[in-house]
Amino acid sequence: MNGAPMDALHTRLLVARFGDAFRFYDALLPALLGATRTRGGAEGPYASWDVDGQGVLALFDRTAMATVTASTTTPPGDGGPAGPGGPGALDDRTMLVSRVPDVDAAYAACLSRGATPAGPPADRPEWGPTLRSAHVRDPEGNLWELQSY
């Protein structure tokens, strides 16, 4: 990691009205938390804010995220049968995001402990020149992004 700050875990809100959500958080996070916007603008599809070099909140356009996790499935035991169309894609409202040293190893570790795959490891140069990510769902169906950059 070369001593660079590491966002161990932060929340990403997946929003349908990106501009409205951006203006809301861009006005309040600096005033209330001393956060600094580090990426993005009202045009979207992504924006983030840090406090003391650590990620505190990110916004991402829900439709854009759904294109990455469109093949998600409903985990068994959540009130519905396992299969396409469960929580995921456009149903997601929040996502946990963790920066990990090795996306492929983290993805495999999650799957070995019962996570449901939501998007396999892939390079995502459109999100950042060196960004690699994978997506899993925990036993409750919550979306978790594993990323390195």
Side-chain angles (χ1 to χ4, degrees):
M1 298 291 169
N2 300 331
M6 183 170 179
D7 299 326
L9 182 69
H10 68 273
T11 302
R12 182 176 298 162
L13 301 178
L14 306 174
V15 298
R17 296 179 3 227
F18 189 92
D20 292 341
F22 172 85
R23 286 184 285 280
F24 178 83
Y25 287 106
D26 200 48
L28 290 173
L29 291 174
L32 298 178
L33 303 178
T36 303
R37 181 168 20 110
T38 55
R39 292 181 198 91
E43 67 284 352
Y46 180 84
S48 64
W49 293 262
D50 289 2
V51 172
D52 296 328
Q54 293 294 308
V56 66
L57 181 70
L59 299 177
F60 197 66
D61 180 85
R62 186 178 307 143
T63 302
M65 189 70 233
T67 64
V68 175
T69 60
S71 63
T72 60
T73 59
T74 304
D78 75 345
L90 291 175
D91 294 330
D92 287 315
R93 301 284 192 260
T94 60
M95 173 172 54
L96 297 175
V97 180
S98 292
R99 188 170 172 189
V100 297
D102 182 333
V103 169
D104 296 78
Y107 182 77
C110 289
L111 296 183
S112 74
R113 287 169 179 79
T116 303
D123 294 331
R124 303 202 185 281
E126 68 278 14
W127 294 0
T130 61
L131 196 130
R132 183 167 179 75
S133 70
H135 299 85
V136 297
R137 291 190 181 280
D138 71 13
E140 289 290 317
N142 297 301
L143 187 59
W144 188 7
E145 178 176 290
L146 309 164
Q147 62 174 230
S148 64
Y149 51 92

